[in-house]
Amino acid sequence: MDREAVVSKNAPKAIGPYAQAVRVGNLIYTSGQIPIHPQTNQTVEGGIEEQTRRVLENLKSLLEDAGTSMKAMVKTTIFLANMDDFAKVNEIYASYFDREPPARSCIQVAGLPKGALIEVEGIAVIK
């Protein structure tokens, strides 16, 4: 099995002992992305809208640096600190997946790293 860590300067550095993403064959498995700005290494200010955009931009950059795109995403998992944010997240999420969105799960959790309101991980295909 060929396994390769993906490293992107355009997505936040890992804050623990894990890879930003791992490529296995023609699949990319991303680690969960929280709303950390890659240039400042700080959580973005604002509410769920700003944090959702940052998380999705981080995923987009990571996938592009791995040689694929958001269009190639086949599965995502969203972790929310508050399920009341579900509708706002859906609105922004939909703008990143305009056609044929990936399969998805959405789970409310008790807490996320660095006090984040949202975390998203995914699996994408490299064509």
Side-chain angles (χ1 to χ4, degrees):
M1 172 178 75
D2 291 331
R3 180 184 180 280
E4 177 185 355
V6 174
V7 179
S8 171
K9 293 180 182 176
N10 299 309
K13 295 177 184 173
I15 59 173
Y18 57 88
Q20 290 171 304
V22 174
R23 178 181 180 165
V24 179
N26 70 333
L27 295 176
I28 297 287
Y29 298 83
T30 73
S31 291
Q33 295 296 303
I34 59 175
I36 294 177
H37 197 285
Q39 278 70 49
T40 65
N41 209 33
Q42 299 295 316
T43 302
V44 296
E45 294 183 18
I48 192 64
E49 293 95 342
E50 292 83 5
Q51 289 199 10
T52 300
R53 283 187 192 91
R54 181 74 262 155
V55 165
L56 293 171
E57 285 297 318
N58 289 347
L59 275 175
K60 181 180 173 185
S61 294
L62 184 55
L63 291 173
E64 288 173 354
D65 286 353
T68 190
S69 70
M70 295 290 271
K71 291 179 183 179
M73 189 77 79
V74 295
K75 172 71 169 92
T76 61
T77 304
I78 299 173
F79 303 93
L80 293 176
N82 186 342
M83 197 56 83
D84 291 341
D85 291 330
F86 187 77
K88 290 177 185 175
V89 169
N90 269 343
E91 185 177 331
I92 296 164
Y93 182 93
S95 71
Y96 282 81
F97 300 103
D98 56 344
R99 295 180 54 210
E100 299 182 26
R104 184 183 90 178
S105 302
C106 185
I107 304 159
Q108 180 172 321
V109 295
L112 291 167
K114 297 192 174 256
L117 302 175
I118 184 171
E119 180 173 356
V120 180
E121 65 182 19
I123 302 168
V125 177
I126 296 179
K127 296 182 181 187

